[in-house]
């Protein structure tokens, strides 16, 4: 006769069940809350340095606040905005912002698209070329603007010297309205073309190679491949760069400020942007309330431009989907 020994489970310590339940509850709670804990630092910093200044600026824009006596606030309501819209220099800066934005954004993105298309092919020294076209973006805006200010000098500038070699007279790049806006736009184009080219290049490399092979088998030239394969595949990337460039153009500040060193944007405000106008009102004339109103006008303008661009893209996508 064989005896089968059965192992007995050790006796459970008192309170063990409640401890296991509490641990399971804590684990399930952590699983639910851990994603929020990971993103909490970002939203904390955003609330402190993004949302709060935005809301406080809206609050200040409704008061008369002077820089010397910022503690004394006098309620004005929308008077800062009405005074803004009756100021001719506001409309001048708004027009200059739009003009410089177009002169800098359109050539910049077109050149970036062409550079990215060339770099997408197998070229010798592609890594060196990619690094070289990114150097202007890494250059300080102050250093770049000061160099270009010398290049666009009226009497001893290299640009006027080159124009003189082909029979043109000297151009006063800092006084003329169109000339000064072209000069400021050139600085923006030089700094940001390489950055956008690398973004386009990354987008091109994500397009499946089978599409190009199929187009080549159908007898499509490189230009047709670019138009019918590359551009449709780059549409989301192009929309992104247009939006970012629009925001940057609306907030343009460093280049026009350092081009001549004047917050008025030239003798007749010929290249004063909204950013310079806001700085002039707040730190030149000490009207912080009006400067806050300008900041909110710029914010609303950016929202409207980005929304209009997104609406146009969506309508075009619906039309193409309905074909």
């Amino acid at each position: 006769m064989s005896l089968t020994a059965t192992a007995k489970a050790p006796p459970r310590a008192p309170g063990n069940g409640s401890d296991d339940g509490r641990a399971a509850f804590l684990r399930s709670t952590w699983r639910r809350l851990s994603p929020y804990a990971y993103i909490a630092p970002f939203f904390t910093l955003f609330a402190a340095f993004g949302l709060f200044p935005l809301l406080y600026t809206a609050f200040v824009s409704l008061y008369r606040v002077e820089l010397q006596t910022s503690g004394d606030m006098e309620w004005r309501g929308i008077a800062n905005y009405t005074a803004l819209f009756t100021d001719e220099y506001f409309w001048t800066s708004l027009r200059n912002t739009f003009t410089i934005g177009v002169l800098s954004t359109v050539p910049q993105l077109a050149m970036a698209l062409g550079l990215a298309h060339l770099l997408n092919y197998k070229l010798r020294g592609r890594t060196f070329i990619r690094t070289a076209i990114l150097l202007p973006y890494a250059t300080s805006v102050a250093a770049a603007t000061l160099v270009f200010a010398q290049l666009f000098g009226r009497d001893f500038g290299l640009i006027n010297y080159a124009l003189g070699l082909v029979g043109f007279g000297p151009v006063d790049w800092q006084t003329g309205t169109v000339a000064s806006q072209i000069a400021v736009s050139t600085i923006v184009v030089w700094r940001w073309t390489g950055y956008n080219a690398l973004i386009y290049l990354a987008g091109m490399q994500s397009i499946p190679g089978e599409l190009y092979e199929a187009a080549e088998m159908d007898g499509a030239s490189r230009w047709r491949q670019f138009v019918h394969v590359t551009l449709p595949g780059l549409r989301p990337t192009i929309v992104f760069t247009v939006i970012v460039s629009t925001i940057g153009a609306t907030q343009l500040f460093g280049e026009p400020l350092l081009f001549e060193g004047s917050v008025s944007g030239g003798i007749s405000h010929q290249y004063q942007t909204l950013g310079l106008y806001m700085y002039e009102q707040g730190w030149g004339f000490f009207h912080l309330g009006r400067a806050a109103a300008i900041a909110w006008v710029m914010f609303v303008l950016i929202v409207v431009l980005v929304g209009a661009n997104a609406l146009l893209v969506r309508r075009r996508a619906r039309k193409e989907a309905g074909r």
Side-chain angles (χ1 to χ4, degrees):
M1 181 177 180
S2 62
L3 297 177
T4 304
T6 58
K8 293 183 178 181
R12 180 173 296 179
N16 231 14
S18 62
D19 291 343
D20 291 343
R22 188 180 299 109
F25 173 75
L26 291 176
R27 284 195 299 269
S28 63
T29 303
W30 172 250
R31 281 195 296 268
R32 289 195 303 268
L33 298 181
S34 58
Y36 301 100
Y38 292 140
I39 63 176
F42 166 77
F43 282 102
T44 303
L45 292 175
F46 173 75
F49 299 103
L51 185 60
F52 173 74
L54 183 67
L55 298 178
Y56 186 72
T57 301
F59 171 76
V60 172
S61 68
L62 302 177
Y63 288 84
R64 177 187 178 90
V65 186
E66 301 298 322
L67 184 62
Q68 306 95 323
T69 57
S70 58
D72 299 333
M73 303 177 68
E74 177 186 347
W75 172 260
R76 295 198 67 190
I78 62 172
N80 283 328
Y81 293 92
T82 55
L84 193 65
F85 295 141
T86 56
D87 187 358
E88 61 173 329
Y89 293 126
F90 166 76
W91 297 106
T92 300
S93 62
L94 180 62
R95 183 174 61 252
N96 293 340
T97 301
F98 175 78
T99 306
I100 295 175
V102 172
L103 289 174
S104 60
T105 301
V106 176
Q108 171 194 154
L109 297 183
M111 293 170 60
L113 195 59
L115 282 173
H117 184 62
L118 291 176
L119 291 175
N120 198 31
Y121 291 100
K122 293 183 178 180
L123 300 174
R124 290 183 178 180
R126 284 187 302 172
T127 304
F128 172 78
I129 297 175
R130 293 174 186 177
T131 305
I133 65 174
L134 195 60
L135 286 178
Y137 170 71
T139 305
S140 167
V141 60
T145 305
L146 292 176
V147 170
F148 272 89
Q150 297 298 319
L151 293 176
F152 283 104
R154 183 183 183 278
D155 297 322
F156 305 103
L158 184 61
I159 304 298
N160 278 343
Y161 175 77
L163 291 176
L165 295 178
V166 294
F168 291 96
V171 178
D172 195 348
W173 296 100
Q174 293 183 340
T175 304
T177 301
V178 177
S180 60
Q181 292 181 2
I182 290 176
V184 173
S185 301
T186 303
I187 306 172
V188 180
V189 171
W190 180 82
R191 289 195 69 236
W192 291 97
T193 298
Y195 173 82
N196 288 307
L198 291 184
I199 293 179
Y200 286 148
L201 179 61
M204 290 178 182
Q205 292 179 345
S206 66
I207 300 174
E210 293 81 2
L211 298 178
Y212 290 101
E213 294 175 1
E216 189 173 357
M217 291 178 63
D218 290 339
S221 62
R222 286 192 173 183
W223 171 249
R224 289 187 174 273
Q225 292 178 27
F226 177 76
V227 173
H228 297 289
V229 178
T230 304
L231 289 183
L234 277 181
R235 183 169 299 151
T237 308
I238 293 175
V239 171
F240 169 77
T241 54
V242 169
I243 291 175
V244 172
S245 299
T246 301
I247 295 174
T250 306
Q251 298 177 334
L252 193 63
F253 176 76
E255 289 85 350
L257 173 65
L258 298 172
F259 183 62
E260 194 183 4
S262 171
V263 295
S264 61
I267 299 176
S268 57
H269 298 254
Q270 66 268 18
Y271 59 90
Q272 185 182 47
T273 60
L274 284 174
L276 274 183
Y277 180 67
M278 178 183 67
Y279 184 85
E280 182 184 43
Q281 292 295 321
W283 283 265
F285 301 146
F286 310 125
H287 303 322
L288 294 184
R290 185 173 295 188
I294 299 169
W296 259 89
V297 169
M298 293 172 62
F299 174 75
V300 173
L301 180 62
I302 290 173
V303 172
V304 170
L305 291 175
V306 172
N309 184 43
L311 182 62
L312 291 175
V313 171
R314 185 176 300 177
R315 284 186 177 181
R316 184 170 182 178
R318 287 178 180 176
K319 286 182 180 179
E320 293 184 355
R323 290 179 182 175

